Amino acid sequence: RGLFPLRPINRDMNNFWTPDFIFEYAEEICGNPDNDFKFDLDVCADSENAKCKKYYTIDDNALLQDWDLFNFCNPPYSNIEPFINKAILEAQKGNHTCMLLPSRTSNGYWETIFDNAHVIFIGGRLSFGGHNNTKGSCAAEGSAYVLFYPDTIRDPGAEEKNKVGWIHNKIIKGD
């Protein structure tokens, strides 16, 4: 399995709009300080739901593109892991990415997240819209902002995890 395992993406099942208030808060805490705390790039969007002037569509394939200095990414939830791996690579190049992800912490990719990102859990469940700004249904689980920054990426040569585990290490480390 490669770094970016590509699965077919169902456009209708993965094209939900990020709620404006969630995006605006993400900009406040993660946006580019040299650009009025705005993001430079919306990594997963289309012409109807893009949150930034610059955005990549499914046809652009953000996984094969260079990202900007400050990025927002609400990836297709059917294929999250390749976007996590890409955000880590971009952080290693000095870029910052705020991802909006379901907080399904039992999924294996969350170990990678906890080792390489800051996480802010969002209380409650979000309501995502759909095509033509139609009202969406409530998400089945909670959500989290996942922040991949150059200073959050774990050094692959770092010492092994202790017996308590990776989540314990992350909580103790803090900000």
Side-chain angles (χ1 to χ4, degrees):
R1 163 172 139 163
L3 184 62
F4 303 123
L6 298 177
R7 289 186 255 163
I9 295 184
N10 179 325
R11 291 173 192 254
D12 292 329
M13 292 303 296
N14 285 283
N15 194 12
F16 292 95
W17 299 24
T18 303
D20 287 338
F21 75 97
I22 291 295
F23 178 78
E24 290 163 4
Y25 184 69
E27 282 192 315
E28 284 180 32
I29 61 173
C30 313
N32 186 344
D34 295 329
N35 185 22
D36 198 27
F37 289 92
K38 303 289 183 203
F39 287 110
D40 302 320
L41 173 67
D42 188 342
V43 174
C44 297
D46 64 29
S47 62
E48 293 182 54
N49 68 12
K51 299 291 185 185
C52 301
K53 290 179 186 174
K54 183 178 178 183
Y55 59 91
Y56 291 143
T57 67
I58 192 170
D59 295 321
D60 295 326
N61 192 349
L63 298 173
L64 301 177
Q65 306 294 330
D66 288 327
W67 293 4
D68 284 358
L69 186 58
F70 285 87
N71 307 286
F72 179 76
C73 180
N74 182 359
Y77 284 11
S78 66
N79 200 22
I80 293 172
E81 195 167 6
F83 288 90
I84 292 169
N85 293 334
K86 176 67 170 172
I88 291 169
L89 286 177
E90 291 297 322
Q92 290 169 340
K93 295 191 303 188
N95 296 328
H96 306 72
T97 301
C98 174
M99 298 182 80
L100 180 62
L101 298 178
S103 55
R104 301 177 198 141
T105 57
S106 60
N107 283 347
Y109 58 75
W110 273 89
E111 182 172 353
T112 302
I113 289 171
F114 284 122
D115 280 347
N116 294 285
H118 293 301
V119 178
I120 302 170
F121 291 96
I122 300 169
R125 296 184 299 164
L126 299 179
S127 221
F128 290 89
H131 287 292
N132 300 318
N133 214 11
T134 56
K135 184 170 172 34
S137 60
C138 196
E141 64 276 308
S143 299
Y145 296 110
V146 179
L147 315 176
F148 293 95
Y149 287 3
D151 64 348
T152 63
I153 304 304
R154 181 177 57 85
D155 177 3
E159 62 187 69
E160 291 296 315
K161 300 174 188 121
N162 68 27
K163 292 179 185 177
V164 178
W166 48 270
I167 193 165
H168 178 72
N169 287 342
K170 193 62 177 179
I171 291 172
I172 288 174
K173 181 178 177 189
D175 285 341

Short mmCIF file of all heavy atoms in Angstrom, two decimals, residues 85-151:
data_model
loop_
_atom_site.label_atom_id
_atom_site.label_comp_id
_atom_site.label_asym_id
_atom_site.label_seq_id
_atom_site.Cartn_x
_atom_site.Cartn_y
_atom_site.Cartn_z
N ASN A 85 -1.38 11.84 5.44
CA ASN A 85 0.02 11.63 5.01
C ASN A 85 0.53 12.83 4.22
O ASN A 85 1.68 13.26 4.40
CB ASN A 85 0.13 10.36 4.18
CG ASN A 85 -0.14 9.11 5.00
OD1 ASN A 85 0.06 9.10 6.21
ND2 ASN A 85 -0.62 8.07 4.35
N LYS A 86 -0.30 13.38 3.36
CA LYS A 86 0.10 14.55 2.57
C LYS A 86 0.31 15.77 3.48
O LYS A 86 1.27 16.52 3.30
CB LYS A 86 -0.96 14.84 1.50
CG LYS A 86 -0.70 16.09 0.67
CD LYS A 86 0.51 15.98 -0.20
CE LYS A 86 0.55 17.17 -1.17
NZ LYS A 86 1.80 17.23 -1.93
N ALA A 87 -0.56 15.96 4.46
CA ALA A 87 -0.40 17.09 5.39
C ALA A 87 0.91 16.98 6.16
O ALA A 87 1.58 17.99 6.41
CB ALA A 87 -1.59 17.16 6.34
N ILE A 88 1.29 15.76 6.52
CA ILE A 88 2.57 15.56 7.20
C ILE A 88 3.73 15.95 6.28
O ILE A 88 4.66 16.65 6.68
CB ILE A 88 2.70 14.11 7.70
CG1 ILE A 88 1.71 13.86 8.84
CG2 ILE A 88 4.14 13.81 8.14
CD1 ILE A 88 1.56 12.40 9.24
N LEU A 89 3.68 15.50 5.03
CA LEU A 89 4.73 15.87 4.06
C LEU A 89 4.80 17.38 3.87
O LEU A 89 5.89 17.96 3.80
CB LEU A 89 4.48 15.19 2.72
CG LEU A 89 4.77 13.70 2.64
CD1 LEU A 89 4.40 13.16 1.26
CD2 LEU A 89 6.22 13.42 2.94
N GLU A 90 3.65 18.02 3.79
CA GLU A 90 3.62 19.48 3.63
C GLU A 90 4.19 20.18 4.86
O GLU A 90 4.90 21.16 4.74
CB GLU A 90 2.20 19.95 3.33
CG GLU A 90 1.69 19.53 1.96
CD GLU A 90 2.48 20.12 0.80
OE1 GLU A 90 2.90 21.31 0.88
OE2 GLU A 90 2.68 19.42 -0.21
N ALA A 91 3.91 19.66 6.06
CA ALA A 91 4.47 20.25 7.27
C ALA A 91 5.99 20.11 7.29
O ALA A 91 6.70 21.02 7.73
CB ALA A 91 3.85 19.59 8.51
N GLN A 92 6.48 18.99 6.78
CA GLN A 92 7.93 18.80 6.70
C GLN A 92 8.57 19.82 5.75
O GLN A 92 9.74 20.14 5.87
CB GLN A 92 8.25 17.38 6.25
CG GLN A 92 7.94 16.35 7.31
CD GLN A 92 7.99 14.91 6.81
OE1 GLN A 92 7.90 14.65 5.61
NE2 GLN A 92 8.11 13.98 7.73
N LYS A 93 7.78 20.35 4.81
CA LYS A 93 8.27 21.40 3.89
C LYS A 93 8.06 22.80 4.46
O LYS A 93 8.37 23.78 3.81
CB LYS A 93 7.55 21.28 2.54
CG LYS A 93 7.86 20.00 1.80
CD LYS A 93 7.38 20.00 0.36
CE LYS A 93 5.92 20.23 0.17
NZ LYS A 93 5.46 20.03 -1.23
N GLY A 94 7.48 22.90 5.68
CA GLY A 94 7.28 24.19 6.31
C GLY A 94 5.87 24.73 6.21
O GLY A 94 5.60 25.86 6.64
N ASN A 95 4.93 23.96 5.67
CA ASN A 95 3.55 24.42 5.50
C ASN A 95 2.68 24.03 6.69
O ASN A 95 3.01 23.12 7.44
CB ASN A 95 2.97 23.87 4.20
CG ASN A 95 3.71 24.40 2.99
OD1 ASN A 95 4.19 25.52 2.99
ND2 ASN A 95 3.84 23.59 1.96
N HIS A 96 1.57 24.75 6.84
CA HIS A 96 0.64 24.57 7.96
C HIS A 96 -0.70 24.13 7.39
O HIS A 96 -1.22 24.77 6.47
CB HIS A 96 0.45 25.89 8.71
CG HIS A 96 1.72 26.51 9.17
ND1 HIS A 96 2.62 27.11 8.31
CD2 HIS A 96 2.26 26.62 10.40
CE1 HIS A 96 3.64 27.57 9.00
NE2 HIS A 96 3.45 27.28 10.27
N THR A 97 -1.29 23.07 7.96
CA THR A 97 -2.59 22.60 7.48
C THR A 97 -3.51 22.35 8.65
O THR A 97 -3.14 21.68 9.61
CB THR A 97 -2.44 21.29 6.67
OG1 THR A 97 -1.58 21.54 5.55
CG2 THR A 97 -3.80 20.81 6.16
N CYS A 98 -4.72 22.89 8.54
CA CYS A 98 -5.79 22.62 9.49
C CYS A 98 -6.78 21.71 8.79
O CYS A 98 -7.35 22.08 7.77
CB CYS A 98 -6.48 23.91 9.92
SG CYS A 98 -7.93 23.64 10.97
N MET A 99 -6.94 20.51 9.32
CA MET A 99 -7.90 19.56 8.76
C MET A 99 -9.13 19.49 9.67
O MET A 99 -9.01 19.60 10.89
CB MET A 99 -7.29 18.17 8.63
CG MET A 99 -6.10 18.12 7.69
SD MET A 99 -5.42 16.46 7.51
CE MET A 99 -6.56 15.78 6.33
N LEU A 100 -10.29 19.31 9.05
CA LEU A 100 -11.52 19.06 9.78
C LEU A 100 -11.84 17.58 9.58
O LEU A 100 -12.08 17.15 8.45
CB LEU A 100 -12.65 19.93 9.25
CG LEU A 100 -14.01 19.77 9.94
CD1 LEU A 100 -13.92 20.15 11.42
CD2 LEU A 100 -15.07 20.60 9.23
N LEU A 101 -11.79 16.81 10.67
CA LEU A 101 -11.94 15.37 10.57
C LEU A 101 -12.97 14.84 11.55
O LEU A 101 -13.19 15.44 12.61
CB LEU A 101 -10.60 14.68 10.87
CG LEU A 101 -9.44 14.97 9.94
CD1 LEU A 101 -8.19 14.26 10.41
CD2 LEU A 101 -9.78 14.57 8.51
N PRO A 102 -13.57 13.70 11.22
CA PRO A 102 -14.43 13.05 12.20
C PRO A 102 -13.56 12.52 13.33
O PRO A 102 -12.46 12.04 13.09
CB PRO A 102 -15.09 11.91 11.41
CG PRO A 102 -14.17 11.64 10.28
CD PRO A 102 -13.49 12.94 9.97
N SER A 103 -14.05 12.62 14.54
CA SER A 103 -13.22 12.21 15.68
C SER A 103 -13.43 10.73 16.00
O SER A 103 -13.73 10.36 17.13
CB SER A 103 -13.50 13.09 16.91
OG SER A 103 -14.88 13.08 17.22
N ARG A 104 -13.20 9.92 15.00
CA ARG A 104 -13.27 8.46 15.16
C ARG A 104 -11.91 7.96 15.63
O ARG A 104 -11.15 7.36 14.86
CB ARG A 104 -13.61 7.80 13.81
CG ARG A 104 -14.89 8.24 13.19
CD ARG A 104 -15.06 7.58 11.82
NE ARG A 104 -16.04 8.28 11.04
CZ ARG A 104 -15.95 8.50 9.74
NH1 ARG A 104 -14.90 8.07 9.06
NH2 ARG A 104 -16.90 9.14 9.10
N THR A 105 -11.59 8.22 16.87
CA THR A 105 -10.23 7.98 17.36
C THR A 105 -9.85 6.51 17.44
O THR A 105 -8.69 6.19 17.68
CB THR A 105 -10.01 8.64 18.72
OG1 THR A 105 -10.98 8.13 19.64
CG2 THR A 105 -10.14 10.15 18.62
N SER A 106 -10.79 5.61 17.21
CA SER A 106 -10.45 4.18 17.17
C SER A 106 -9.86 3.78 15.82
O SER A 106 -9.30 2.69 15.69
CB SER A 106 -11.68 3.32 17.49
OG SER A 106 -12.70 3.56 16.54
N ASN A 107 -9.99 4.64 14.80
CA ASN A 107 -9.38 4.35 13.50
C ASN A 107 -7.86 4.45 13.61
O ASN A 107 -7.34 5.33 14.30
CB ASN A 107 -9.87 5.31 12.43
CG ASN A 107 -11.26 4.97 11.95
OD1 ASN A 107 -11.78 3.90 12.22
ND2 ASN A 107 -11.88 5.89 11.22
N GLY A 108 -7.18 3.56 12.90
CA GLY A 108 -5.73 3.46 12.99
C GLY A 108 -4.98 4.74 12.66
O GLY A 108 -3.92 5.00 13.22
N TYR A 109 -5.52 5.56 11.77
CA TYR A 109 -4.79 6.77 11.39
C TYR A 109 -4.72 7.79 12.52
O TYR A 109 -3.91 8.71 12.47
CB TYR A 109 -5.36 7.40 10.11
CG TYR A 109 -6.83 7.78 10.16
CD1 TYR A 109 -7.27 8.89 10.84
CD2 TYR A 109 -7.76 7.04 9.45
CE1 TYR A 109 -8.60 9.25 10.86
CE2 TYR A 109 -9.11 7.38 9.45
CZ TYR A 109 -9.52 8.49 10.16
OH TYR A 109 -10.84 8.85 10.16
N TRP A 110 -5.51 7.61 13.57
CA TRP A 110 -5.43 8.56 14.68
C TRP A 110 -4.11 8.44 15.44
O TRP A 110 -3.64 9.42 16.02
CB TRP A 110 -6.64 8.44 15.62
CG TRP A 110 -7.75 9.30 15.11
CD1 TRP A 110 -8.73 8.96 14.23
CD2 TRP A 110 -7.94 10.68 15.40
NE1 TRP A 110 -9.53 10.05 13.97
CE2 TRP A 110 -9.06 11.12 14.68
CE3 TRP A 110 -7.28 11.61 16.21
CZ2 TRP A 110 -9.54 12.42 14.74
CZ3 TRP A 110 -7.75 12.91 16.28
CH2 TRP A 110 -8.87 13.30 15.55
N GLU A 111 -3.48 7.30 15.44
CA GLU A 111 -2.17 7.21 16.06
C GLU A 111 -1.19 8.12 15.32
O GLU A 111 -0.40 8.84 15.94
CB GLU A 111 -1.65 5.77 16.07
CG GLU A 111 -0.31 5.67 16.76
CD GLU A 111 0.16 4.24 16.97
OE1 GLU A 111 -0.59 3.29 16.70
OE2 GLU A 111 1.31 4.09 17.43
N THR A 112 -1.27 8.13 14.00
CA THR A 112 -0.43 9.03 13.20
C THR A 112 -0.75 10.47 13.52
O THR A 112 0.14 11.31 13.65
CB THR A 112 -0.65 8.75 11.70
OG1 THR A 112 -0.34 7.38 11.43
CG2 THR A 112 0.21 9.65 10.83
N ILE A 113 -2.04 10.78 13.66
CA ILE A 113 -2.44 12.14 14.00
C ILE A 113 -1.87 12.55 15.35
O ILE A 113 -1.23 13.60 15.48
CB ILE A 113 -3.98 12.27 14.00
CG1 ILE A 113 -4.51 12.20 12.56
CG2 ILE A 113 -4.42 13.56 14.69
CD1 ILE A 113 -6.01 12.10 12.47
N PHE A 114 -2.07 11.72 16.38
CA PHE A 114 -1.58 12.09 17.71
C PHE A 114 -0.07 12.21 17.76
O PHE A 114 0.47 12.98 18.55
CB PHE A 114 -2.07 11.09 18.76
CG PHE A 114 -3.52 11.27 19.12
CD1 PHE A 114 -4.41 10.22 18.97
CD2 PHE A 114 -4.00 12.47 19.61
CE1 PHE A 114 -5.75 10.38 19.31
CE2 PHE A 114 -5.34 12.65 19.95
CZ PHE A 114 -6.21 11.59 19.80
N ASP A 115 0.64 11.48 16.91
CA ASP A 115 2.09 11.58 16.87
C ASP A 115 2.58 12.81 16.11
O ASP A 115 3.73 13.21 16.27
CB ASP A 115 2.70 10.33 16.20
CG ASP A 115 2.79 9.15 17.13
OD1 ASP A 115 2.62 9.31 18.35
OD2 ASP A 115 3.03 8.03 16.63
N ASN A 116 1.74 13.40 15.27
CA ASN A 116 2.22 14.43 14.34
C ASN A 116 1.40 15.70 14.27
O ASN A 116 1.62 16.52 13.38
CB ASN A 116 2.31 13.84 12.93
CG ASN A 116 3.35 12.77 12.82
OD1 ASN A 116 4.54 13.07 12.78
ND2 ASN A 116 2.93 11.52 12.80
N ALA A 117 0.44 15.88 15.17
CA ALA A 117 -0.43 17.05 15.06
C ALA A 117 -0.95 17.47 16.41
O ALA A 117 -0.89 16.72 17.38
CB ALA A 117 -1.61 16.72 14.14
N HIS A 118 -1.45 18.69 16.46
CA HIS A 118 -2.25 19.14 17.60
C HIS A 118 -3.70 18.87 17.25
O HIS A 118 -4.10 19.03 16.09
CB HIS A 118 -2.06 20.64 17.84
CG HIS A 118 -0.70 21.02 18.30
ND1 HIS A 118 -0.11 20.53 19.44
CD2 HIS A 118 0.21 21.86 17.76
CE1 HIS A 118 1.08 21.05 19.59
NE2 HIS A 118 1.31 21.85 18.58
N VAL A 119 -4.51 18.51 18.24
CA VAL A 119 -5.91 18.19 18.01
C VAL A 119 -6.78 19.04 18.91
O VAL A 119 -6.50 19.17 20.11
CB VAL A 119 -6.18 16.69 18.27
CG1 VAL A 119 -7.66 16.36 18.08
CG2 VAL A 119 -5.31 15.82 17.38
N ILE A 120 -7.84 19.61 18.33
CA ILE A 120 -8.85 20.34 19.10
C ILE A 120 -10.19 19.68 18.80
O ILE A 120 -10.67 19.73 17.66
CB ILE A 120 -8.89 21.84 18.70
CG1 ILE A 120 -7.53 22.48 18.90
CG2 ILE A 120 -9.98 22.56 19.49
CD1 ILE A 120 -7.42 23.89 18.32
N PHE A 121 -10.77 19.04 19.79
CA PHE A 121 -12.05 18.38 19.60
C PHE A 121 -13.18 19.42 19.64
O PHE A 121 -13.14 20.34 20.45
CB PHE A 121 -12.28 17.29 20.64
CG PHE A 121 -11.35 16.12 20.44
CD1 PHE A 121 -10.17 16.02 21.16
CD2 PHE A 121 -11.64 15.15 19.51
CE1 PHE A 121 -9.31 14.96 20.96
CE2 PHE A 121 -10.79 14.07 19.32
CZ PHE A 121 -9.61 13.98 20.04
N ILE A 122 -14.16 19.27 18.78
CA ILE A 122 -15.30 20.17 18.68
C ILE A 122 -16.47 19.50 19.39
O ILE A 122 -16.81 18.36 19.09
CB ILE A 122 -15.66 20.44 17.20
CG1 ILE A 122 -14.46 21.08 16.49
CG2 ILE A 122 -16.89 21.32 17.10
CD1 ILE A 122 -14.60 21.15 14.98
N GLY A 123 -17.08 20.19 20.34
CA GLY A 123 -18.21 19.63 21.08
C GLY A 123 -19.43 19.43 20.20
O GLY A 123 -19.67 20.20 19.25
N GLY A 124 -20.19 18.42 20.48
CA GLY A 124 -21.41 18.15 19.72
C GLY A 124 -21.12 17.56 18.36
O GLY A 124 -20.00 17.13 18.07
N ARG A 125 -22.13 17.54 17.52
CA ARG A 125 -21.99 17.02 16.15
C ARG A 125 -22.36 18.12 15.17
O ARG A 125 -23.35 18.84 15.37
CB ARG A 125 -22.89 15.79 15.95
CG ARG A 125 -22.47 14.64 16.85
CD ARG A 125 -23.26 13.39 16.59
NE ARG A 125 -24.67 13.64 16.85
CZ ARG A 125 -25.65 12.84 16.44
NH1 ARG A 125 -25.38 11.76 15.74
NH2 ARG A 125 -26.90 13.11 16.73
N LEU A 126 -21.58 18.24 14.13
CA LEU A 126 -21.80 19.29 13.13
C LEU A 126 -22.86 18.88 12.12
O LEU A 126 -23.06 17.71 11.85
CB LEU A 126 -20.49 19.58 12.38
CG LEU A 126 -19.32 20.07 13.21
CD1 LEU A 126 -18.10 20.27 12.33
CD2 LEU A 126 -19.70 21.35 13.94
N SER A 127 -23.47 19.89 11.54
CA SER A 127 -24.40 19.68 10.43
C SER A 127 -23.71 20.19 9.17
O SER A 127 -23.33 21.35 9.09
CB SER A 127 -25.67 20.50 10.68
OG SER A 127 -26.80 19.78 10.34
N PHE A 128 -23.50 19.29 8.22
CA PHE A 128 -22.83 19.65 6.98
C PHE A 128 -23.87 19.83 5.89
O PHE A 128 -24.81 19.04 5.78
CB PHE A 128 -21.85 18.54 6.55
CG PHE A 128 -20.65 18.44 7.43
CD1 PHE A 128 -20.66 17.62 8.55
CD2 PHE A 128 -19.51 19.16 7.15
CE1 PHE A 128 -19.55 17.52 9.37
CE2 PHE A 128 -18.39 19.06 7.96
CZ PHE A 128 -18.42 18.24 9.08
N GLY A 129 -23.70 20.86 5.05
CA GLY A 129 -24.61 21.07 3.93
C GLY A 129 -24.16 20.28 2.73
O GLY A 129 -23.12 19.62 2.74
N GLY A 130 -24.96 20.35 1.68
CA GLY A 130 -24.65 19.62 0.47
C GLY A 130 -24.71 20.50 -0.75
O GLY A 130 -24.63 21.73 -0.66
N HIS A 131 -24.87 19.90 -1.92
CA HIS A 131 -24.94 20.64 -3.18
C HIS A 131 -25.97 21.76 -3.10
O HIS A 131 -27.01 21.63 -2.46
CB HIS A 131 -25.32 19.69 -4.32
CG HIS A 131 -24.21 18.77 -4.72
ND1 HIS A 131 -23.07 19.21 -5.32
CD2 HIS A 131 -24.08 17.44 -4.58
CE1 HIS A 131 -22.27 18.19 -5.56
NE2 HIS A 131 -22.85 17.09 -5.10
N ASN A 132 -25.68 22.85 -3.78
CA ASN A 132 -26.57 24.01 -3.85
C ASN A 132 -26.95 24.55 -2.48
O ASN A 132 -28.02 25.07 -2.27
CB ASN A 132 -27.83 23.67 -4.66
CG ASN A 132 -27.48 23.27 -6.07
OD1 ASN A 132 -26.62 23.88 -6.70
ND2 ASN A 132 -28.12 22.24 -6.56
N ASN A 133 -26.03 24.38 -1.54
CA ASN A 133 -26.19 24.90 -0.18
C ASN A 133 -27.43 24.33 0.53
O ASN A 133 -28.03 25.00 1.35
CB ASN A 133 -26.22 26.42 -0.18
CG ASN A 133 -25.57 26.99 1.06
OD1 ASN A 133 -24.94 26.28 1.83
ND2 ASN A 133 -25.74 28.28 1.26
N THR A 134 -27.82 23.12 0.18
CA THR A 134 -28.94 22.49 0.85
C THR A 134 -28.54 22.12 2.28
O THR A 134 -27.38 21.84 2.56
CB THR A 134 -29.39 21.20 0.11
OG1 THR A 134 -28.26 20.33 0.01
CG2 THR A 134 -29.93 21.53 -1.26
N LYS A 135 -29.53 22.13 3.16
CA LYS A 135 -29.26 21.79 4.56
C LYS A 135 -28.91 20.32 4.64
O LYS A 135 -29.58 19.47 4.07
CB LYS A 135 -30.48 22.10 5.41
CG LYS A 135 -30.24 21.85 6.88
CD LYS A 135 -31.40 22.39 7.70
CE LYS A 135 -31.36 22.04 9.15
NZ LYS A 135 -30.15 21.95 9.83
N GLY A 136 -27.85 20.04 5.34
CA GLY A 136 -27.42 18.66 5.50
C GLY A 136 -27.90 18.06 6.81
O GLY A 136 -28.49 18.75 7.64
N SER A 137 -27.64 16.80 6.97
CA SER A 137 -28.01 16.15 8.21
C SER A 137 -26.85 16.24 9.20
O SER A 137 -25.73 16.58 8.85
CB SER A 137 -28.38 14.70 7.95
OG SER A 137 -27.28 14.02 7.40
N CYS A 138 -27.16 15.91 10.43
CA CYS A 138 -26.15 15.95 11.48
C CYS A 138 -25.17 14.80 11.29
O CYS A 138 -25.55 13.69 10.94
CB CYS A 138 -26.87 15.83 12.82
SG CYS A 138 -25.86 16.31 14.21
N ALA A 139 -23.90 15.08 11.50
CA ALA A 139 -22.87 14.05 11.38
C ALA A 139 -23.13 12.94 12.40
O ALA A 139 -23.70 13.17 13.46
CB ALA A 139 -21.49 14.67 11.61
N ALA A 140 -22.67 11.75 12.07
CA ALA A 140 -22.88 10.60 12.94
C ALA A 140 -21.97 10.61 14.17
O ALA A 140 -22.22 9.89 15.13
CB ALA A 140 -22.65 9.31 12.15
N GLU A 141 -20.91 11.41 14.12
CA GLU A 141 -19.96 11.46 15.23
C GLU A 141 -19.46 12.89 15.38
O GLU A 141 -19.78 13.76 14.60
CB GLU A 141 -18.77 10.53 14.98
CG GLU A 141 -17.91 10.89 13.79
CD GLU A 141 -18.43 10.37 12.47
OE1 GLU A 141 -18.71 9.19 12.34
OE2 GLU A 141 -18.55 11.19 11.54
N GLY A 142 -18.65 13.10 16.41
CA GLY A 142 -18.08 14.41 16.63
C GLY A 142 -16.99 14.72 15.61
O GLY A 142 -16.65 13.88 14.76
N SER A 143 -16.46 15.92 15.68
CA SER A 143 -15.43 16.36 14.75
C SER A 143 -14.27 16.97 15.51
O SER A 143 -14.38 17.28 16.70
CB SER A 143 -16.00 17.40 13.78
OG SER A 143 -17.05 16.87 13.02
N ALA A 144 -13.17 17.16 14.81
CA ALA A 144 -11.99 17.75 15.43
C ALA A 144 -11.21 18.56 14.40
O ALA A 144 -11.21 18.22 13.21
CB ALA A 144 -11.08 16.66 16.01
N TYR A 145 -10.59 19.63 14.87
CA TYR A 145 -9.58 20.32 14.07
C TYR A 145 -8.27 19.57 14.31
O TYR A 145 -7.90 19.33 15.46
CB TYR A 145 -9.38 21.76 14.53
CG TYR A 145 -10.56 22.69 14.37
CD1 TYR A 145 -11.25 23.15 15.48
CD2 TYR A 145 -10.96 23.13 13.12
CE1 TYR A 145 -12.30 24.04 15.37
CE2 TYR A 145 -12.02 24.01 12.98
CZ TYR A 145 -12.69 24.47 14.11
OH TYR A 145 -13.74 25.34 13.97
N VAL A 146 -7.57 19.23 13.25
CA VAL A 146 -6.28 18.56 13.36
C VAL A 146 -5.25 19.46 12.69
O VAL A 146 -5.35 19.75 11.50
CB VAL A 146 -6.32 17.16 12.72
CG1 VAL A 146 -4.97 16.49 12.82
CG2 VAL A 146 -7.40 16.30 13.40
N LEU A 147 -4.28 19.92 13.46
CA LEU A 147 -3.33 20.94 13.01
C LEU A 147 -1.96 20.34 12.77
O LEU A 147 -1.28 19.93 13.71
CB LEU A 147 -3.23 22.06 14.05
CG LEU A 147 -4.56 22.55 14.63
CD1 LEU A 147 -4.32 23.59 15.70
CD2 LEU A 147 -5.48 23.07 13.54
N PHE A 148 -1.58 20.29 11.51
CA PHE A 148 -0.25 19.79 11.12
C PHE A 148 0.63 21.00 10.85
O PHE A 148 0.41 21.72 9.86
CB PHE A 148 -0.34 18.91 9.87
CG PHE A 148 -1.07 17.62 10.09
CD1 PHE A 148 -2.42 17.52 9.80
CD2 PHE A 148 -0.41 16.51 10.58
CE1 PHE A 148 -3.09 16.33 9.99
CE2 PHE A 148 -1.07 15.31 10.79
CZ PHE A 148 -2.43 15.22 10.49
N TYR A 149 1.59 21.24 11.73
CA TYR A 149 2.50 22.36 11.60
C TYR A 149 3.92 21.81 11.55
O TYR A 149 4.18 20.71 12.03
CB TYR A 149 2.37 23.30 12.80
CG TYR A 149 1.13 24.14 12.85
CD1 TYR A 149 0.13 24.03 11.88
CD2 TYR A 149 0.94 25.06 13.86
CE1 TYR A 149 -1.00 24.82 11.94
CE2 TYR A 149 -0.19 25.85 13.93
CZ TYR A 149 -1.16 25.73 12.96
OH TYR A 149 -2.27 26.51 13.01
N PRO A 150 4.86 22.61 11.04
CA PRO A 150 6.25 22.14 11.01
C PRO A 150 6.77 21.69 12.38
O PRO A 150 7.54 20.74 12.47
CB PRO A 150 7.03 23.35 10.50
CG PRO A 150 6.03 24.09 9.67
CD PRO A 150 4.72 23.92 10.38
N ASP A 151 6.31 22.32 13.46
CA ASP A 151 6.82 21.96 14.79
C ASP A 151 6.03 20.83 15.46
O ASP A 151 6.34 20.45 16.59
CB ASP A 151 6.87 23.18 15.71
CG ASP A 151 5.50 23.76 16.01
OD1 ASP A 151 4.51 23.39 15.34
OD2 ASP A 151 5.41 24.61 16.91
#
